[in-house]
């Protein structure tokens, strides 16, 4: 990998173009237009052209260190993290990128979650967001360039102070030196702030990294492990009231009547308000002095709902409908000649079923909002800060610059905090507006209970796959007709324009349409309209496509009389070296084929690429009391350069447990007559700590630009376990959660 050079910035800007931030004793290093320039009049100086260029948009806010880096007098370096951290580790990994190029003392590096602002938008998506395992991938160069620019400004400040050439100045661990002269970042911060922005910066080569690539403990680990970390649900301002909302039991039902007398009689209940909800419904909000009186008040409401004209979904009937659709031609996602199916000597017919799934993060949804009539402040663990900020402003009828959205640390999300309609944030704004109109004042904290979360919608879609595969006498695939049935996640969202083509939602087919194995697959898709709200869920389409493909590959290996690892290697050939490398590493480190397993155990193998990263699993499993038991999972990971190997390891460990949970009895959202049947962890299964297997994570060495790891650890685990069960029992598991005969 060669050094990266960027030269998108002008050679210099006047000293006044750097903004001194009133943030304690610190200074922010950044690039800002002059006051005159901001008003449309570039200054009459040699640098006027550069300022005019900034006004013309050539200088992006996301390139300016001033929005991202703050240096205090004691040398502490605070890095603004432009994305929500809800367990994936960007609160540490992004500051690592800055600190490496800045040559900061890691012991003095801090992190803060950034508010919604133009500077913090993802360059690829054009909005401030986290999703699709893009955080490190999208910020890899951006954050390093920010650190390199800040470093250059400190070098120039020192060179000017000591009257030496900049080439003689060195930086290490937050200390700038030239010969015997030394100064800390804190001592030079004010002078560095006044330096011109460098025209270009040259980034380090991987061989020169000191911090990046090293296992690094998370900055937020001490607070989280000791219980001192505040999450959104903890951030209730003084005098804030708590809000709970009664929502319709059937999606889309209308409120017919409400009797709030008993609710208002509950001590601590202040108001009962009717508010518009997402999807055209009406909700009833109970405002109270705390969570418990709000819950008691909501439970005491007398509510009736009108479901006329509303589809009342029942899971069994919907599955039957999907199964029938899977036997019919659909939209053409991939075309191949399947004429050999009719005369194939051997045939595999397989139907797979996947249920609706709730995200069920540890921390349910919540939002603090303070609407003051002419301005509003929102604090929320948002994955989509830009969309949520705009939605609050529109709901309240405020100019965007009158709304401040602060990002709170969140306890999980898995996609649930990234709703294109900004559902729960808009709910908070609707309550705040109604509360103020009713004479109420002060901040409100909207909270969802666990039951609200499980029953509240926006699930991983239910899917049915059907595969008809024709084989020759030796087990070679001659033709493959594949059909996927499931709701579109992206239709009707801002992502539809570039991720839904010819009516086909790209996230429904990922993992099949782009399989690395070279099978002659013809792929049809059906996107039925169903009255169940759906959303992305960790690893999105790969949650089901990887399972289908990797269990079928194992079945095909058996039909061909080949070892499942050797079969995959032959199919992959040399065309997919990263997939092959991850698989080979997992196999080598697991001992697969090299040692005998204890009686009653079997190997299971699967490998899958998602979000530009590859994860392969070799697992050891058994069956006890009619249920699979996962004992050990060895992962081979190819995510290119691993910024923080500990974060990669943690993401895979978490993904193993979450994926294991999808195989357990009760891991499904079901509906009857339009009503969700599950309500809490008593009837909606997630994996528990005592089910966690031994997990070993091994990373393929690479110096290429990193790819994502928030989601890729998930898809291949369940099929690897299913393949082990098939080796033990001969039963091919075609449904999640598992149902062993």
């Amino acid at each position: 990998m060669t050094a990266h050079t960027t030269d998108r910035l002008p050679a210099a800007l006047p000293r006044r173009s750097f903004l001194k931030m009133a943030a304690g004793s610190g200074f922010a290093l950044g690039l800002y237009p002059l006051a005159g320039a901001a008003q449309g009049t570039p200054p009459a100086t040699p640098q006027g052209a550069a300022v005019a260029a900034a006004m013309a948009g050539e200088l992006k806010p996301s390139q300016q260190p001033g929005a991202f880096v703050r240096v205090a007098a004691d040398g502490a370096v605070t890095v603004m993290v432009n994305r929500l951290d809800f367990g994936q580790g960007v609160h540490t990994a992004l500051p690592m990128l800055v600190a490496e190029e800045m040559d900061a003392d890691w012991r003095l590096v801090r992190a803060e979650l950034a508010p919604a602002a133009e500077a913090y938008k993802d360059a690829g998506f054009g909005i401030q967001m986290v999703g699709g395992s893009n955080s490190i991938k999208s910020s890899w160069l951006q954050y390093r360039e920010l650190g390199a620019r800040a470093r250059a400004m400190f070098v120039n400040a020192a060179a000017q102070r000591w009257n030496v050439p900049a080439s003689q100045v060195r930086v290490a661990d937050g200390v700038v030196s030239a010969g015997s002269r030394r100064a800390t970042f804190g001592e030079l911060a004010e002078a560095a702030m006044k330096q011109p922005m460098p025209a270009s910066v040259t980034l380090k080569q991987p061989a020169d990294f000191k911090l990046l690539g090293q296992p690094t403990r998370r900055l937020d680990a001490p607070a989280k492990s000791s219980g001192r970390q505040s999450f959104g649900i903890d951030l209730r301002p003084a005098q804030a009231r708590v809000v709970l909302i009664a929502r319709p039991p059937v999606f889309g039902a209308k409120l017919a009547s409400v009797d709030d007398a008993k609710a208002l009689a509950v001590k601590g209940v202040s108001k009962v308000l009717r508010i518009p909800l997402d999807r055209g419904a009406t909700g009833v909000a109970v405002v109270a002095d705390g969570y418990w009186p709000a819950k008691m008040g909501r439970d005491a409401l007398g509510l009736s709902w009108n479901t006329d004209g509303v589809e009342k979904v029942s899971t069994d009937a919907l599955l039957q409908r999907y199964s029938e659709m899977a036997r019919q031609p659909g939209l053409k996602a991939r075309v191949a000649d399947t004429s050999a199916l009719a005369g194939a000597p051997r045939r595999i017919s397989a139907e797979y079923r996947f249920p609706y799934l709730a995200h069920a993060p540890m921390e349910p949804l919540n939002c603090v909002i303070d609407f003051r009539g002419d301005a509003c402040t929102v604090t929320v663990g948002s994955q989509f800060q830009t969309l949520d900020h705009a939605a609050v402003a529109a709901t309240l009828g405020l100019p965007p610059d009158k709304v401040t959205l602060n990002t709170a640390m969140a306890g999980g999300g898995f996609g649930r905090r990234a709703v294109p309609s900004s559902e729960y944030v808009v709910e908070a704004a609707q309550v705040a507006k109604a509360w103020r109109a009713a004479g109420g004042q002060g901040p409100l904290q909207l909270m969802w209970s666990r039951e609200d979360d499980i029953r509240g919608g926006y699930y991983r879609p239910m899917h049915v796959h059907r595969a008809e595969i024709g084989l020759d006498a030796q087990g070679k695939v001659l033709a493959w007709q594949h059909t996927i049935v499931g709701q579109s996640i992206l239709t009707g969202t801002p992502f539809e324009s570039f991720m839904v083509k010819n009516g086909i939602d790209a996230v429904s087919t990922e993992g099949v349409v782009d399989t690395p194995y070279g099978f002659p697959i013809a792929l049809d898709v059906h996107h039925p309209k169903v009255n169940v709200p759906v959303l992305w869920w960790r690893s999105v389409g790969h949650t089901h496509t990887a399972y289908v493909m990797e269990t079928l590959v194992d079945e095909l290996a058996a039909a061909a009389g080949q070892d499942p690892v050797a079969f995959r290697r032959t199919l992959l050939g040399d065309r997919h070296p990263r997939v092959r490398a991850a698989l080979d590493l997992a196999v080598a480190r697991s001992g697969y084929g090299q040692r005998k397993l204890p009686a009653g155990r079997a190997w299971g193998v699967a490998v899958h690429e998602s979000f530009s990263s590859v994860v392969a699993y070799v697992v050891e499993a058994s069956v006890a009391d009619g249920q699979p038991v996962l004992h050990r999972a060895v992962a081979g990971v190819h995510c290119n350069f691993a910024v923080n190997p500990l974060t990669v390891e943690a993401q895979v460990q978490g993904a193993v447990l979450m994926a294991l949970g999808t195989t357990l009895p009760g891991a499904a959202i079901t509906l009857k007559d339009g009503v969700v049947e599950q309500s809490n962890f008593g009837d909606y299964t997630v994996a528990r700590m005592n089910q966690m297997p031994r997990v070993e994570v091994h990373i393929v060495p690479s110096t290429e630009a990193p790819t994502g790891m928030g989601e890729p650890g998930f898809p291949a685990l369940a099929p690897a376990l299913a393949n082990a069960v098939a080796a033990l029992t001969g039963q091919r598991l075609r449904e999640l959660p598992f149902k062993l005969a």
Side-chain angles (χ1 to χ4, degrees):
M1 188 182 205
T2 58
H4 173 81
T5 301
T6 177
D7 54 6
R8 293 175 293 192
L9 297 178
L13 282 181
R15 293 181 178 183
R16 287 183 58 205
S17 66
F18 294 96
L19 179 67
K20 180 175 179 179
M21 303 288 288
S25 57
F27 297 92
L29 302 173
L31 184 60
Y32 293 84
L34 297 177
Q39 297 167 8
T41 307
T45 65
Q47 293 82 18
V51 175
M55 293 170 57
E58 294 180 15
L59 300 178
K60 298 178 181 179
S62 59
Q63 296 174 295
Q64 303 174 13
F68 293 86
V69 183
R70 187 170 68 245
V71 180
D74 63 359
V77 176
T78 299
V79 178
M80 301 302 291
V81 175
N82 66 340
R83 302 165 191 274
L84 173 69
D85 192 309
F86 49 158
Q88 81 277 33
V90 294
H91 206 66
T92 300
L94 293 184
M96 287 176 68
L97 300 179
V98 172
E100 178 67 66
E101 297 291 347
M102 195 174 175
D103 283 314
D105 184 345
W106 181 248
R107 296 169 299 178
L108 297 177
V109 174
R110 311 289 183 261
E112 288 184 14
L113 295 178
E118 182 72 22
Y120 305 124
K121 290 182 177 180
D122 182 282
F125 287 96
I127 62 173
Q128 190 175 348
M129 62 164 288
V130 57
S133 297
N134 273 300
S135 294
I136 300 300
K137 182 167 59 175
S138 294
S139 301
W140 168 243
L141 293 180
Q142 176 199 8
Y143 267 68
R144 291 172 63 204
E145 288 173 1
L146 291 168
R149 291 189 186 109
R151 181 188 187 279
M153 293 163 75
F154 277 100
V155 166
N156 291 336
Q160 189 176 77
R161 174 177 293 188
W162 298 328
N163 195 27
V164 298
S167 61
Q168 295 182 12
V169 178
R170 302 289 179 265
V171 184
D173 295 327
V175 176
V176 186
S177 62
S180 61
R181 287 163 289 197
R182 295 166 56 87
T184 66
F185 277 174
E187 293 168 336
L188 285 171
E190 186 170 6
M193 179 190 69
K194 299 174 182 178
Q195 293 300 310
M197 180 68 64
S200 64
V201 287
T202 300
L203 303 183
K204 295 180 181 179
Q205 297 188 52
D208 298 323
F209 289 158
K210 298 178 180 178
L211 179 62
L212 299 184
Q214 298 302 313
T216 304
R217 298 295 178 187
R218 293 191 183 190
L219 296 175
D220 50 345
K224 287 182 175 177
S225 60
S226 64
R228 292 182 285 110
Q229 176 67 58
S230 291
F231 295 87
I233 205 167
D234 303 313
L235 302 178
R236 187 180 307 163
Q239 309 305 315
R241 288 173 171 83
V242 172
V243 179
L244 290 180
I245 297 176
R247 299 172 178 85
V250 176
F251 299 117
K254 306 299 182 183
L255 181 65
S257 65
V258 55
D259 182 350
D260 60 9
K262 291 182 179 179
L264 290 169
V266 173
K267 183 179 180 180
V269 172
S270 303
K271 286 285 184 183
V272 175
L273 305 165
R274 297 191 187 198
I275 63 162
L277 295 178
D278 198 22
R279 304 184 292 271
T282 298
V284 181
V286 177
V287 183
D289 292 341
Y291 178 85
W292 190 245
K295 183 183 185 306
M296 297 267 299
R298 186 175 67 170
D299 291 346
L301 288 170
L303 303 172
S304 62
W305 303 91
N306 183 352
T307 60
D308 292 346
V310 175
E311 181 188 11
K312 302 176 187 66
V313 175
S314 291
T315 299
D316 291 344
L318 189 60
L319 276 171
Q320 181 61 34
R321 175 186 167 194
Y322 276 23
S323 181
E324 293 169 358
M325 293 178 75
R327 291 171 167 79
Q328 304 299 322
L331 300 172
K332 305 301 180 184
R334 176 170 167 166
V335 178
D337 182 5
T338 60
S339 59
L341 271 175
R346 303 168 68 183
R347 191 165 178 141
I348 293 175
S349 297
E351 182 174 292
Y352 288 83
R353 297 183 171 194
F354 302 89
Y356 288 110
L357 292 175
H359 300 78
M362 182 180 297
E363 179 195 16
L365 300 176
N366 59 84
C367 177
V368 172
I369 187 165
D370 186 6
F371 177 41
R372 301 176 296 279
D374 60 349
C376 181
T377 301
V378 179
T379 302
V380 61
S382 168
Q383 282 184 250
F384 279 177
Q385 290 98 323
T386 300
L387 298 186
D388 289 347
H389 177 266
V392 169
T395 302
L396 297 177
L398 292 174
D401 62 354
K402 295 297 183 181
V403 175
T404 299
L405 189 147
N406 297 315
T407 306
M409 188 75 73
F414 315 113
R416 185 61 179 90
R417 301 180 191 275
V419 187
S421 66
S422 299
E423 158 227 27
Y424 69 102
V425 181
V426 169
E427 285 182 359
Q430 294 285 14
V431 175
K433 184 164 64 173
W435 168 246
R436 185 169 180 84
Q441 293 185 352
L444 301 172
Q445 183 180 39
L446 173 71
M447 297 179 68
W448 284 47
S449 68
R450 179 63 61 193
E451 289 78 11
D452 294 339
D453 174 63
I454 299 297
R455 291 174 170 162
Y458 287 109
Y459 304 112
R460 194 283 301 271
M462 186 174 78
H463 281 88
V464 167
H465 287 238
R466 185 165 186 83
E468 296 286 346
I469 307 173
L471 312 174
D472 67 13
Q474 289 72 44
K476 180 182 177 181
V477 175
L478 300 175
W480 185 324
Q481 175 61 56
H482 198 118
T483 304
I484 300 175
V485 184
Q487 290 166 260
S488 169
I489 294 171
L490 298 173
T491 299
T493 75
F495 303 93
E496 180 178 2
S497 62
F498 59 95
M499 295 187 72
V500 178
K501 299 297 183 184
N502 301 317
I504 298 171
D505 187 329
V507 301
S508 297
T509 62
E510 57 189 6
V512 177
V513 74
D514 53 356
T515 176
Y517 293 121
F519 295 126
I521 297 178
L523 176 60
D524 286 12
V525 179
H526 296 273
H527 290 314
K529 303 291 186 182
V530 183
N531 186 32
V532 178
V534 294
L535 188 66
W536 28 70
W537 194 96
R538 189 177 190 178
S539 79
V540 202
H542 299 282
T543 62
H544 51 97
T545 59
Y547 186 87
V548 173
M549 295 304 295
E550 283 303 299
T551 54
L552 283 174
V553 167
D554 239 56
E555 194 167 349
L556 290 169
Q562 296 186 33
D563 173 82
V565 171
F567 186 70
R568 285 176 171 82
R569 285 170 171 162
T570 299
L571 290 173
L572 292 169
D574 298 325
R575 300 186 312 278
H576 301 279
R578 295 174 74 242
V579 179
R580 177 72 179 264
L583 175 63
D584 287 349
L585 183 58
V587 169
R589 296 300 179 92
S590 69
Y592 178 93
Q594 301 172 22
R595 63 182 178 86
K596 186 176 180 181
L597 293 178
R601 291 194 185 185
W603 299 105
V605 177
V607 59
H608 191 77
E609 181 173 1
S610 61
F611 305 95
S612 303
S613 291
V614 186
V615 177
Y617 286 111
V618 178
V619 305
E620 298 177 27
S622 65
V623 175
D625 300 323
Q627 293 298 324
V629 179
L630 180 59
H631 299 281
R632 179 176 178 235
V634 179
V637 176
H638 203 316
C639 58
N640 290 354
F641 181 77
V643 170
N644 185 356
L646 283 185
T647 296
V648 174
E649 181 181 26
Q651 287 303 293
V652 173
Q653 290 170 336
V656 165
L657 191 63
M658 189 173 180
L660 176 61
T662 66
T663 72
L664 302 175
I669 291 293
T670 59
L671 298 97
K672 185 174 182 180
D673 297 327
V675 178
V676 175
E677 296 184 290
Q678 292 71 34
S679 65
N680 208 315
F681 292 136
D683 49 17
Y684 181 74
T685 301
V686 296
R688 266 63 172 183
M689 289 178 65
N690 63 351
Q691 294 164 312
M692 183 71 179
R694 175 183 169 190
V695 179
E696 301 169 29
V697 180
H698 305 282
I699 303 170
V700 177
S702 174
T703 58
E704 296 300 312
T707 50
M709 275 308 300
E711 298 172 273
F714 183 98
L717 190 281
L721 178 56
N723 291 337
V725 172
L728 287 166
T729 67
Q731 182 180 353
R732 296 292 173 181
L733 300 172
R734 306 211 195 277
E735 186 172 0
L736 287 177
F738 289 164
K739 293 179 174 64
L740 269 69

